[in-house]
């Protein structure tokens, strides 16, 4: 067994240094808490970046993974498995859409969604290929998904990028109206922008987007990799806005921590792919789907989603209280359900580091936005604990 220092040393020497890691090594989790290799406990309000929706070590999830592993972990998509058939059935029922494809990650789910949208549009008109996405979006790290990601710094040095992508301001339906045309294959948006700074759609923005897509025969693809799986208080975030996409993508929380991704679409769009047009070795394997089935049995329950809505509202109120107390530090509080952001006037990294010292794992995105994506099983006490730590940390920051 390695000591903590040996873990740091082995990783720092051998792992590709693309992550700005915090100097703790996590060892185990329990509900809303995680423990590092020194035995220190942290309350986890990042949840593996919106992944551990049922918290850590949720017994039914652990049991499902163990019993599936004892039967069969993987067998390729050349064969049927009960776990995958069941997970697909549940997602179709929940979404009101008709066809599911499982991948291993968010980026892959989006990549598949973009491919099927292009193929579908191509069958209508071979010049219909353009994808419109939003500035400040985040869609993943593959070449196509990082091209759709409207944050140029992710694209630097990686040119030439795939062609046919353009961008509009999120929440600006007029700009989209000016840009969309009959060569637009798809409009590709996060239902609620996460990584880009936690921006929910305003007013009837998504309804206007839906209408514009319909007028131009463009597909609406909603990326719910972060906002879906109950985080907004509805199973799919789009349910909050009275619209339905042609394709929705999921990943992060879908299997409670086991890698998985999915896109779900209509029968009409699904027909654009024939056998052999898309595939995956691991995607939707029985281990991942057995885990997903626990999430899909638990999160959509009315009581579960009501807790997300109630705790989201409670947490947001407490963040507003902090904003009132520290008006020179907190500029704005925003978000939906348990996808909340507090935009700061100062760099967030110091606040995140100070909170970590005090035993809370929180996150900062785009430099200045504290992003809270806790497990969906949090209660008031957990929220109070984090708010208390934030209060201490902000009080310290105010002195400097
Ligand atoms: C995290 C995220 C992705 C990428 O998911 P990966 O599993 O890291 O590939 C895509 N879209 C959104 C909205 C995300 O939050």
């Amino acid at each position: 067994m390695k000591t903590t220092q040996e873990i740091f040393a082995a990783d720092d020497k051998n792992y590709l240094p693309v992550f700005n890691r915090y100097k703790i090594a996590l060892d185990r989790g329990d509900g809303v808490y995680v423990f590092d290799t020194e035995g220190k406990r942290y309350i986890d309000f990042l949840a593996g970046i919106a992944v551990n929706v049922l918290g850590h070590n949720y017994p039914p999830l652990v049991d499902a993974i163990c019993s599936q592993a004892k039967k069969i972990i993987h067998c390729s998509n050349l064969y049927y498995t009960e776990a995958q058939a069941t997970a697909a059935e549940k997602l179709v029922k929940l979404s009101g859409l008709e066809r599911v494809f499982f991948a291993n990650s968010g980026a892959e789910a989006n990549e598949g969604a973009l491919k099927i949208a292009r193929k579908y549009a191509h069958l209508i008109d071979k010049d219909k290929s353009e994808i419109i996405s939003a500035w400040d979006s985040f869609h993943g790290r593959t070449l196509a998904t990082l091209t759709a990601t409207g944050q140029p710094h992710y694209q630097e040095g990686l040119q030439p990028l795939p062609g046919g992508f353009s961008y509009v301001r999120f929440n600006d339906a007029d700009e989209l109206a000016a840009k969309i045309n009959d060569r637009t294959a798809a409009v590709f948006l996060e239902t609620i922008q996460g990584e880009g700074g936690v921006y929910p759609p305003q007013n009837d923005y998504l309804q206007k987007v839906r209408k514009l897509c319909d007028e131009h025969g463009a597909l609406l693809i909603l990326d719910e990799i972060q906002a879906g799986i109950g985080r907004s208080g509805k199973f799919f975030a789009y349910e909050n806005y009275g619209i339905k996409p042609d394709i929705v993508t999921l990943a992060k929380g879908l299997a409670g921590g086991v890698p998985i991704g999915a896109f779900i679409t209509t029968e009409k769009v699904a027909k654009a792919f024939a056998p052999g047009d898309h595939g995956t070795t691991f995607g939707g394997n029985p281990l991942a789907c057995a885990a997903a089935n626990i999430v899909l049995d638990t999160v959509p329950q009315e009581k579960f989603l009501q807790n997300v809505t109630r705790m989201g509202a409670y947490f947001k109120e407490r963040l507003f209280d902090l904003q009132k107390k520290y008006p020179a530090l907190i500029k704005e509080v925003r978000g939906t359900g348990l996808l909340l952001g507090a935009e700061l006037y100062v760099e967030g990294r110091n606040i995140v580091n100070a909170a970590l010292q005090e035993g809370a794992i929180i996150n900062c995105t785009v430099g200045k936005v504290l992003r809270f994506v806790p497990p969906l099983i949090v209660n008031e006490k957990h929220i109070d604990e984090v708010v208390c730590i934030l209060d201490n940390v902000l009080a310290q920051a105010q002195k400097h």
Side-chain angles (χ1 to χ4, degrees):
M1 232 181 83
K2 288 184 167 65
T3 65
T4 304
Q5 291 308 317
E6 285 166 352
I7 295 169
F8 294 157
D11 198 273
D12 289 344
K13 181 165 186 290
N14 298 295
Y15 192 80
L16 193 74
V18 291
F19 297 104
N20 253 325
R21 286 195 165 127
Y22 296 95
K23 266 280 184 286
I24 60 172
L26 293 178
D27 187 46
R28 64 191 178 86
D30 180 18
V32 177
Y33 296 91
V34 291
F35 298 82
D36 71 12
T37 44
E38 303 291 304
K40 181 174 169 182
R41 188 179 89 153
Y42 303 84
I43 186 160
D44 183 8
F45 267 44
L46 178 59
I49 319 187
V51 167
N52 304 96
V53 288
L54 301 174
H56 298 275
N57 279 4
Y58 181 67
L61 181 63
V62 175
D63 290 347
I65 292 168
C66 290
S67 49
Q68 184 61 53
K70 283 177 189 158
K71 290 207 286 180
I72 189 166
I73 293 175
H74 178 82
C75 63
S76 112
N77 277 305
L78 297 174
Y79 311 98
Y80 294 83
T81 66
E82 183 183 356
Q84 190 185 88
T86 304
E89 191 175 41
K90 289 181 204 282
L91 282 173
V92 162
K93 205 164 172 190
L94 287 165
S95 63
L97 295 166
E98 290 154 315
R99 292 281 173 182
V100 180
F101 179 83
F102 288 114
N104 304 290
S105 66
E108 261 185 88
N110 283 339
E111 190 82 24
L114 290 170
K115 279 178 67 180
I116 202 167
R118 275 256 170 100
K119 192 94 191 233
Y120 175 80
H122 187 96
L123 295 171
I124 298 169
D125 173 355
K126 66 174 178 30
D127 291 325
K128 194 172 172 67
S129 62
E130 288 165 19
I131 311 288
I132 302 176
S133 62
W135 294 115
D136 300 320
S137 60
F138 184 80
H139 297 296
R141 305 286 195 149
T142 63
L143 279 171
T145 59
L146 76 84
T147 303
T149 292
Q151 301 189 57
H153 67 100
Y154 283 122
Q155 304 166 351
E156 255 166 46
L158 299 173
Q159 292 81 3
L161 298 170
F165 287 80
S166 64
Y167 314 91
V168 292
R169 278 185 301 273
F170 190 67
N171 271 325
D172 185 341
D174 293 337
E175 193 187 359
L176 180 64
K179 189 154 239 161
I180 195 170
N181 61 67
D182 291 348
R183 289 185 314 282
T184 307
V187 174
F188 181 31
L189 300 171
E190 288 162 271
T191 308
I192 301 167
Q193 288 194 328
E195 217 264 352
V198 187
Y199 292 99
Q202 286 163 4
N203 308 319
D204 51 357
Y205 175 64
L206 287 177
Q207 282 158 310
K208 286 180 177 162
V209 171
R210 178 70 271 181
K211 193 159 167 279
L212 286 167
C213 286
D214 291 340
E215 283 166 10
H216 294 276
L219 298 177
L220 175 58
I221 310 174
L222 289 178
D223 175 344
E224 297 215 354
I225 288 163
Q226 188 161 160
I229 319 287
R231 187 154 294 281
S232 73
K234 304 275 188 198
F235 187 78
F236 290 99
Y238 64 73
E239 295 172 57
N240 291 293
Y241 307 102
I243 53 133
K244 215 162 98 179
D246 300 289
I247 309 177
V248 62
T249 60
L250 296 171
K252 293 204 161 89
L254 177 53
V258 178
I260 194 169
F263 73 78
I264 319 169
T265 189
T266 59
E267 189 71 49
K268 196 168 107 179
V269 173
K271 283 201 164 69
F273 271 178
D277 284 352
H278 195 52
T280 170
T281 300
F282 288 120
N285 84 9
L287 186 76
C289 286
N293 282 325
I294 300 298
V295 171
L296 295 174
D297 283 341
T298 311
V299 173
Q301 286 180 28
E302 206 172 298
K303 241 181 77 191
F304 190 97
L305 291 174
Q306 275 168 1
N307 182 63
V308 175
T309 303
R310 282 198 311 115
M311 290 307 114
Y314 178 71
F315 194 9
K316 203 172 184 182
E317 275 312 309
R318 300 298 314 266
L319 291 172
F320 279 130
D321 293 342
L322 286 176
Q323 186 190 17
K324 275 189 213 113
K325 194 164 172 188
Y326 303 100
L329 290 174
I330 302 181
K331 187 175 169 187
E332 188 175 61
V333 171
R334 53 181 182 254
T336 306
L338 287 169
L339 173 47
L340 295 173
E343 183 167 344
L344 305 175
Y345 287 108
V346 296
E347 286 302 312
R349 188 151 175 108
N350 298 336
I351 304 287
V352 171
N353 269 316
L356 193 67
Q357 289 302 315
E358 305 254 334
I361 292 186
I362 58 170
N363 172 253
C364 172
T365 187
V366 292
K368 289 189 172 174
V369 180
L370 298 180
R371 170 179 48 173
F372 303 98
V373 283
L376 302 181
I377 54 164
V378 288
N379 61 33
E380 281 101 338
K381 277 199 185 127
H382 299 130
I383 291 166
D384 290 344
E385 190 179 335
V386 163
V387 168
C388 177
I389 290 173
L390 277 171
D391 195 351
N392 293 338
V393 165
L394 291 168
Q396 283 301 318
Q398 200 169 37
K399 285 193 201 145
H400 297 308

